[in-house]
C-alpha cells in the first residue's frame, strides 16, 4: 500500500476530491461534540482532541429506521442506503472500535443495516499526537497510530500530512486525489513513527488487562461491585458515549396510521434494559448493571470474539457525573483476583 | 472548613446503631474529580472532604436507592441514611420532606454551610486538569488550587459556578448537625441568562432551544441526577403506551426536555446538577430557573425552604392571581 504527502495548503483541494461522498467530520462550534455531515463550504476541522459523542453513529445511528408501514397495509418500505460517506479525521481508537464491533454484527447473521453503512463508509484516520487525559488505548491493544478498522491514516507532520493507504478503499482515495499529493519517503515515515512513540509515551493512564477476562467470572459475588456502583446514577452517559457499546432496542413508532420500526441505542445501565414483562428483572440494581458493563467488555466479548470490547478512549471516565472510572475499576478487579 | 471536625463528626454518625450508612464526598480518582462516598462505619469516613469541588448533590441518593425484594424471612433494614448537604442540597431534602418522598426520621442531615462551589468546566478550561489529584480550598476572597504541593490563588468571580452566583440560600435550611458556623450570604447576582432569553422573540427562543435540544443524546443523566426526579414509573420509560418515543430527534428530544422541566416547576431547588452532568452541554439550568422565576413572581413561592409547608401544585389560596388564565 502506498504512502503519500499532502501539503496542508492543499487540504481544501483534497477535501474537494472526496466530492460525491458525504463527509463526516467535527466542525464549527460543535466540533468538540460530534462528527456530523460537513455543510458545504465549511472546512472540516482536524485540530480537536476527540469528540464527546463517538462516530459510531455513522454506522450504528442512535435511531435507525428499519422500515416504514401503514397500519392495516401489507407493504414494507425499506429505506435505501446508498450514500457513500467518509469519516474524516477519525481517531484510531474509534476506528478500531468499529473493527471490534464488526464481530458482533456478523456473529450469526450479517446485520444488513450495519454492514451497508460500513460498506459505504471510508474511514480516514488521524494519528493521535496529543493523547487526552484519560486515554489508555495502549493498555487494551490499540495505539496512537493503530491502523485497525481504518482505510487510510493521516499523520500531521507540521506543514504536511502523511497519508498511508491501508485498504483498497484507501488506495482508491489516494488515486483519486493523486494530483494534489506527492510521494512520501522514508524520512516522513520515520517522523511519523517518532511522533507515535512520543504520543504513546504521553499516555498517562494504564492498566494491564492480563488475567482480567479469565478472572472476572470468579468475582461474580465480590463486594467490589457494590463498592464501585454505589454512587452510580444509572444514566446512559458511559454507554452512549462508548464507541464499542452496541446494544439496541427495537420499537414500533406509530403516528396516526403511519408507523415505522426503528432501532435505537439502548443502555445496560438503564433499569428497564433487562426488565421482563412479568416485572422480574435479572439485573435489578445498579450493582448488577455495573457488573454487566465491565463483564461484557472485559469477559463475555473476549470469550466470544477474542478481543476486549474497550478501546481505551476514556470517554466514560471523562464524562461520568460521579467519577466512576473504568481504569480504577479494572485495578480493583486485579486486586480482587 | 475544618476537615478534622468533619471527619470526626462523620465517623460518630456512621458508627451510630440507627444509621445504615453515611453519604459524603471524597477526592476522586484523578484531577479535580470528587466522588460521592458511602460509609457504613467510622472507618469509611476517614477520607471525606468538603471543598469547592463538592458540587454533587447527595440528596439524589435518598430516592435513587433500589428497594429489591427481600429473601423470605429477611426484615428490611430501616435504619437512617445520613448525608452531607450544602445549602442547595438541603433544599432538595426539604422539598422531598414536603412531598413525603422521604420522612424526617429516615435521614440524618449533616449541614455544610457553603461559601460557593467552582464551576468544574470553567476550572478545567482555565487551569487544565491533569492526572494528579488536585485539591481546592476556599480563601478569604476566592479559591486556592493545590496541585503537587503548589498553591494558586484564584479570585472568586473567576471560577464561581453560575448557580452559586445566583444562590440565595448558602446555609442549609434543614439539618440535624451543623459542621460550621453559617456563612454570610452574598447578594445574589441578577439572572441575566434567563432575562436574555425572555427578551428574545418567540421565534428566536424556538431557534435557540431547537439547537440545544437537537444535541440531546437522551442519556437521562439530568433526570437521574436530579434529587426531585424520583417517580417510580417515569413517563420516559413507558413503552405501552409510549408517551415519548425512544427515537432521538428534535421532536422527541423536545418532548422529553419539556416534560422534565414542567415536572420540576415549583419544585426545582436550583442545585444546577442537571446542567453540570449533561454530556451535551445543554443549558438546562436556564429552563429550570425560568420556571422558578415564574413561580416566584406569580405566586411568591419558593420550594424547598420549609419542610412543613405544602407542595406548590397541591396548595390553593383564594387570592391566587388569575390574570394570566385565558
Amino acid at each position: 500500500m502506498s504512502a503519500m504527502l499532502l501539503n496542508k495548503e492543499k487540504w481544501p483541494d483534497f477535501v474537494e476530491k472526496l466530492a460525491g461522498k458525504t463527509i463526516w467530520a467535527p466542525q464549527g462550534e460543535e466540533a468538540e461534540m460530534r462528527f456530523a455531515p460537513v455543510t458545504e463550504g465549511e472546512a472540516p476541522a482536524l485540530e480537536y482532541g476527540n469528540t464527546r459523542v463517538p462516530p459510531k453513529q455513522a454506522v450504528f445511528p442512535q435511531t435507525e429506521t428499519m422500515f416504514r408501514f401503514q397500519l392495516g397495509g401489507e407493504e414494507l418500505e425499506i429505506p435505501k442506503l446508498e450514500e457513500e460517506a467518509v469519516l474524516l479525521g477519525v481517531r484510531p481508537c474509534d476506528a478500531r472500535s468499529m473493527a471490534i464491533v464488526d464481530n458482533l454484527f456478523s456473529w450469526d447473521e450479517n446485520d444488513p443495516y450495519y454492514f451497508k453503512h460500513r460498506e459505504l463508509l471510508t474511514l480516514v484516520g488521524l494519528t493521535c499526537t496529543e493523547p487526552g487525559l484519560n486515554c489508555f488505548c495502549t493498555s487494551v491493544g490499540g495505539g496512537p497510530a493503530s491502523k485497525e478498522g481504518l482505510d487510510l491514516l493521516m499523520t500531521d507532520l507540521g506543514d504536511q500530512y502523511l497519508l498511508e493507504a491501508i485498504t483498497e478503499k484507501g488506495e482508491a482515495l489516494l488515486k483519486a486525489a493523486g494530483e494534489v499529493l506527492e510521494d512520501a519517503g522514508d524520512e516522513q515515515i520515520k517522523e511519523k513513527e517518532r511522533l507515535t512513540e512520543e504520543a504513546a509515551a504521553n499516555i498517562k493512564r494504564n492498566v494491564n488487562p492480563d488475567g482480567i477476562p479469565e478472572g472476572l467470572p470468579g468475582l461474580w459475588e465480590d463486594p467490589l461491585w457494590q463498592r464501585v456502583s454505589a454512587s452510580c446514577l444509572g444514566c446512559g452517559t458511559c454507554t452512549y458515549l462508548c464507541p464499542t457499546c452496541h446494544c439496541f432496542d427495537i420499537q414500533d413508532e406509530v403516528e396516526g396510521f403511519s408507523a415505522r420500526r426503528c432501532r435505537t441505542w439502548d443502555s445496560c445501565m438503564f433499569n428497564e434494559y433487562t426488565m421482563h414483562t412479568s416485572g422480574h428483572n435479572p439485573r435489578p440494581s445498579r450493582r448488577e448493571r455495573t457488573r454487566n458493563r465491565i463483564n461484557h467488555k472485559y469477559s463475555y466479548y473476549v470469550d466470544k470474539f477474542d478481543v476486549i470490547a474497550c478501546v481505551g478512549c476514556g470517554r466514560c471516565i471523562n464524562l461520568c457525573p460521579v467519577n466512576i472510572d473504568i481504569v480504577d475499576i479494572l485495578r480493583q478487579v486485579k486486586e480482587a483476583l | 472548613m475544618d476537615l478534622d471536625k468533619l471527619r470526626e463528626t462523620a465517623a460518630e454518625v456512621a458508627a451510630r446503631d440507627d444509621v445504615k450508612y453515611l453519604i459524603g464526598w471524597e477526592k476522586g480518582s484523578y484531577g479535580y474529580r470528587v466522588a460521592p462516598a458511602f460509609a457504613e462505619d467510622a472507618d469509611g469516613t476517614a477520607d471525606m472532604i468538603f471543598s469547592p469541588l463538592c458540587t454533587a448533590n447527595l440528596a439524589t441518593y435518598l430516592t435513587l436507592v433500589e428497594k429489591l425484594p427481600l429473601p423470605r424471612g429477611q426484615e428490611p433494614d430501616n435504619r437512617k441514611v445520613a448525608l452531607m448537604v450544602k445549602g442547595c442540597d438541603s433544599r432538595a431534602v426539604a422539598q422531598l420532606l414536603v412531598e413525603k418522598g422521604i420522612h424526617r426520621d429516615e435521614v440524618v442531615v449533616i449541614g455544610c454551610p457553603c461559601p460557593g462551589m467552582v464551576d468544574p468546566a470553567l476550572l478545567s478550561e482555565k487551569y487544565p486538569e491533569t492526572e494528579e489529584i488536585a485539591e481546592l480550598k476556599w480563601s478569604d476572597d476566592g479559591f486556592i488550587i493545590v496541585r503537587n504541593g503548589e498553591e494558586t490563588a484564584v479570585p472568586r468571580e473567576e471560577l464561581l459556578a453560575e448557580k452559586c452566583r445566583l444562590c440565595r440560600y448558602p446555609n442549609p435550611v434543614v439539618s440535624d448537625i451543623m459542621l460550621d458556623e453559617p456563612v454570610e450570604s452574598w447578594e445574589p447576582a441578577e439572572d441575566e441568562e434567563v432575562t436574555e432569553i425572555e427578551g428574545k422573540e418567540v421565534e428566536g427562543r424556538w431557534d435557540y432551544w431547537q439547537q440545544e435540544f437537537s444535541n440531546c443524546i437522551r442519556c437521562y443523566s439530568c433526570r437521574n441526577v436530579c434529587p426531585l426526579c424520583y417517580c417510580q414509573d417515569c413517563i420516559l420509560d413507558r413503552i405501552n403506551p409510549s408517551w415519548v418515543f425512544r427515537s432521538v430527534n428534535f421532536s422527541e428530544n423536545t418532548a422529553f426536555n419539556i416534560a422534565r422541566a414542567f415536572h420540576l416547576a415549583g419544585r426545582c431547588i436550583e442545585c444546577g446538577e442537571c446542567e453540570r452532568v449533561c454530556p451535551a452541554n445543554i443549558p438546562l439550568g436556564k429552563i429550570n430557573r425560568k420556571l422558578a422565576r415564574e413561580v416566584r413572581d406569580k405566586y411568591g413561592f419558593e420550594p424547598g425552604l420549609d419542610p412543613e409547608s405544602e407542595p406548590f401544585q397541591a396548595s390553593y389560596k383564594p387570592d391566587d392571581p388569575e390574570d394570566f388564565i385565558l
Side-chain angles (χ1 to χ4, degrees):
Chain A
M1 294 283 163
S2 46
M4 306 293 274
L5 286 175
L6 171 67
N7 195 317
K8 279 192 180 171
E9 281 166 14
K10 292 188 178 160
W11 173 242
D13 304 323
F14 176 76
V15 174
E16 214 166 272
K17 298 288 176 197
L18 305 173
K21 296 185 166 79
T22 307
I23 301 171
W24 290 65
Q27 56 172 334
E29 280 175 26
E30 298 290 317
E32 256 182 40
M33 189 62 200
R34 66 178 90 222
F35 279 75
V38 171
T39 29
E40 226 169 296
E42 209 173 329
L46 296 180
E47 288 82 25
Y48 67 99
N50 200 355
T51 51
R52 286 187 165 207
V53 182
K56 69 176 174 185
Q57 53 180 329
V59 286
F60 176 45
Q62 189 164 7
T63 310
E64 173 115 65
T65 302
M66 302 173 78
F67 52 81
R68 296 177 188 280
F69 56 100
Q70 294 290 317
L71 293 192
E74 286 175 4
E75 299 286 313
L76 294 183
E77 185 201 321
I78 301 172
K80 283 197 180 60
L81 304 173
E82 49 201 11
E83 214 170 321
E84 286 192 85
V86 181
L87 212 49
L88 203 54
V90 62
R91 295 299 153 129
C93 55
D94 288 338
R96 198 169 162 255
S97 76
M98 291 188 196
I100 291 172
V101 174
D102 284 351
N103 289 302
L104 184 278
F105 282 110
S106 61
W107 177 10
D108 40 8
E109 292 277 333
N110 272 2
D111 183 284
Y113 299 93
Y114 178 85
F115 280 105
K116 192 69 196 170
H117 287 301
R118 277 297 260 135
E119 187 192 316
L120 292 167
L121 186 69
T122 306
L123 285 116
V124 178
L126 181 67
T127 300
C128 258
T129 45
E130 285 177 36
L133 182 55
N134 286 309
C135 290
F136 62 104
C137 60
T138 42
S139 293
V140 285
S146 161
K147 291 179 176 174
E148 218 177 324
L150 285 172
D151 295 302
L152 186 77
L153 177 65
M154 295 171 49
T155 307
D156 190 339
L157 299 178
D159 296 334
Q160 50 199 6
Y161 289 114
L162 172 71
L163 273 56
E164 295 169 273
I166 296 155
T167 62
E168 293 298 327
K169 265 191 207 171
E171 195 73 54
L173 226 157
L174 284 190
K175 205 168 278 174
E179 61 189 63
V180 299
L181 305 175
E182 298 155 39
D183 285 332
D186 285 349
E187 197 186 323
Q188 282 90 14
I189 305 269
K190 279 206 182 102
E191 173 64 0
K192 175 214 150 184
E193 277 161 10
R194 191 188 66 79
L195 287 170
T196 311
E197 271 169 37
E198 200 175 277
N202 277 333
I203 292 176
K204 297 286 187 331
R205 307 215 63 187
N206 60 79
V207 63
N208 180 353
D210 289 352
I212 292 179
E214 305 78 34
L216 273 171
L219 298 176
W220 195 248
E221 294 295 344
D222 198 277
L224 91 91
W225 301 117
Q226 183 57 41
R227 207 164 56 230
V228 300
S229 67
S231 64
C232 176
L233 298 170
C235 74
T237 304
C238 51
T239 50
Y240 278 7
L241 300 184
C242 173
T244 64
C245 273
H246 50 259
C247 286
F248 57 80
D249 194 14
I250 293 177
Q251 288 185 3
D252 286 354
E253 299 189 345
V254 185
E255 279 177 86
F257 287 94
S258 300
R260 67 165 173 161
R261 177 158 300 174
C262 56
R263 131 165 128 186
T264 58
W265 291 355
D266 202 355
S267 168
C268 62
M269 304 311 290
F270 290 158
N271 174 50
E272 75 273 23
Y273 176 74
T274 43
M275 177 76 87
H276 295 181
T277 316
S278 65
H280 169 68
N281 195 338
R283 296 191 198 118
S285 76
R286 295 187 299 278
R287 169 180 167 271
E288 291 84 12
R289 298 199 277 274
T290 304
R291 183 175 66 190
N292 178 70
R293 182 166 75 92
I294 306 299
N295 270 274
H296 193 178
K297 293 187 180 306
Y298 281 86
S299 171
Y300 313 149
Y301 213 83
V302 181
D303 204 28
K304 204 108 230 160
F305 304 117
D306 207 24
V307 60
I308 292 172
C310 168
V311 292
C313 70
R315 286 184 178 93
C316 59
I317 312 176
N318 288 334
L319 291 153
C320 174
V322 291
N323 187 226
I324 292 177
D325 181 331
I326 195 164
V327 172
D328 193 42
I329 295 178
L330 293 170
R331 289 207 182 120
Q332 294 192 44
V333 166
K334 292 208 75 159
E335 276 166 28
L337 285 175
Chain B
M1 173 167 302
D2 181 355
L3 285 187
D4 289 334
K5 188 183 169 197
L6 174 142
R7 288 171 187 162
E8 203 177 297
T9 312
E12 273 169 32
V13 173
R16 271 166 56 174
D17 288 339
D18 64 338
V19 170
K20 187 156 50 177
Y21 51 80
L22 177 146
I23 318 171
W25 301 275
E26 269 178 13
K27 279 181 208 164
S29 59
Y30 69 96
Y32 298 124
R33 307 300 161 118
V34 159
F38 294 70
E40 287 181 9
D41 51 33
D43 292 347
T45 61
D47 296 323
M48 286 194 174
I49 57 164
F50 183 59
S51 81
L53 292 167
C54 295
T55 40
N57 182 347
L58 306 175
T60 196
Y61 293 110
L62 295 176
T63 52
L64 200 65
V65 66
E66 287 116 342
K67 295 201 171 75
L68 303 182
L70 294 168
R72 193 168 300 171
Q74 193 172 319
E75 290 296 314
D77 184 348
N78 287 330
R79 289 177 297 163
K80 295 171 199 278
V81 171
L83 79 161
M84 296 195 190
V85 295
K86 307 183 288 291
C88 49
D89 310 341
S90 77
R91 291 183 62 198
V93 174
Q95 183 62 18
L96 284 168
L97 291 169
V98 166
E99 297 173 5
K100 299 188 170 49
I102 53 167
H103 295 282
R104 191 65 185 86
D105 56 3
E106 292 171 341
V107 287
V108 180
V109 184
I110 306 173
C112 305
C114 172
M117 294 287 137
V118 295
D119 179 332
L122 211 57
L123 174 66
S124 303
E125 195 184 304
K126 297 195 171 170
Y127 303 90
E129 201 173 22
T130 60
E131 66 282 8
E132 280 88 19
I133 294 177
E135 276 180 76
L136 258 81
K137 296 190 292 194
W138 285 284
S139 64
D140 288 342
D141 54 356
F143 304 105
I144 298 169
I145 304 172
V146 189
R147 191 153 47 183
N148 296 331
E150 273 179 41
E151 298 202 345
T152 314
V154 185
R156 190 169 190 267
E157 285 308 304
E158 194 179 321
L159 293 179
L160 190 68
E162 179 70 7
K163 62 159 182 169
C164 302
R165 274 179 227 285
L166 305 168
C167 175
R168 293 177 299 279
Y169 305 96
N171 292 299
V173 297
V174 188
S175 68
D176 296 299
I177 303 163
M178 283 287 266
L179 285 177
D180 215 336
E181 293 300 314
V183 294
E184 202 176 314
S185 301
W186 49 92
E187 184 64 36
E190 280 298 313
D191 194 344
E192 283 159 8
E193 289 185 344
V194 169
T195 308
E196 187 195 331
I197 296 193
E198 279 177 342
K200 289 185 183 185
E201 294 292 317
V202 172
E203 272 173 25
R205 269 181 274 167
W206 184 246
D207 289 344
Y208 176 78
W209 291 112
Q210 177 154 6
Q211 177 66 38
E212 295 294 345
F213 292 156
S214 297
N215 278 338
C216 176
I217 60 164
R218 305 275 290 281
C219 66
Y220 298 148
S221 58
C222 53
R223 173 192 68 174
N224 290 23
V225 80
C226 178
L228 293 160
C229 258
Y230 62 102
C231 290
Q232 285 284 316
D233 191 0
C234 175
I235 182 174
L236 302 166
D237 298 335
R238 276 262 153 185
I239 291 174
N240 191 12
S242 195
W243 301 107
V244 179
F245 289 148
R246 267 277 179 99
S247 47
V248 175
N249 52 46
F250 169 63
S251 166
E252 300 306 315
N253 292 1
T254 304
F256 153 54
N257 274 284
I258 289 178
R260 190 200 67 85
F262 269 87
H263 284 183
L264 287 165
R267 301 175 60 238
C268 169
I269 46 80
E270 299 170 55
C271 68
E273 281 287 87
C274 48
E275 186 164 324
R276 176 183 71 87
V277 304
C278 178
N281 284 343
I282 302 173
L284 297 164
K286 287 186 195 173
I287 312 171
N288 291 342
R289 298 200 310 261
K290 165 66 178 165
L291 288 166
R293 180 184 278 190
E294 289 288 311
V295 172
R296 207 163 46 234
D297 291 353
K298 296 279 195 300
Y299 298 94
F301 182 88
E302 273 191 284
L305 295 179
D306 175 8
E308 305 298 325
S309 65
E310 279 180 57
F312 165 69
Q313 298 92 333
S315 63
Y316 164 77
K317 287 193 298 240
D319 58 346
D320 277 340
E322 293 178 353
D323 51 345
F324 57 94
I325 297 173
L326 298 174

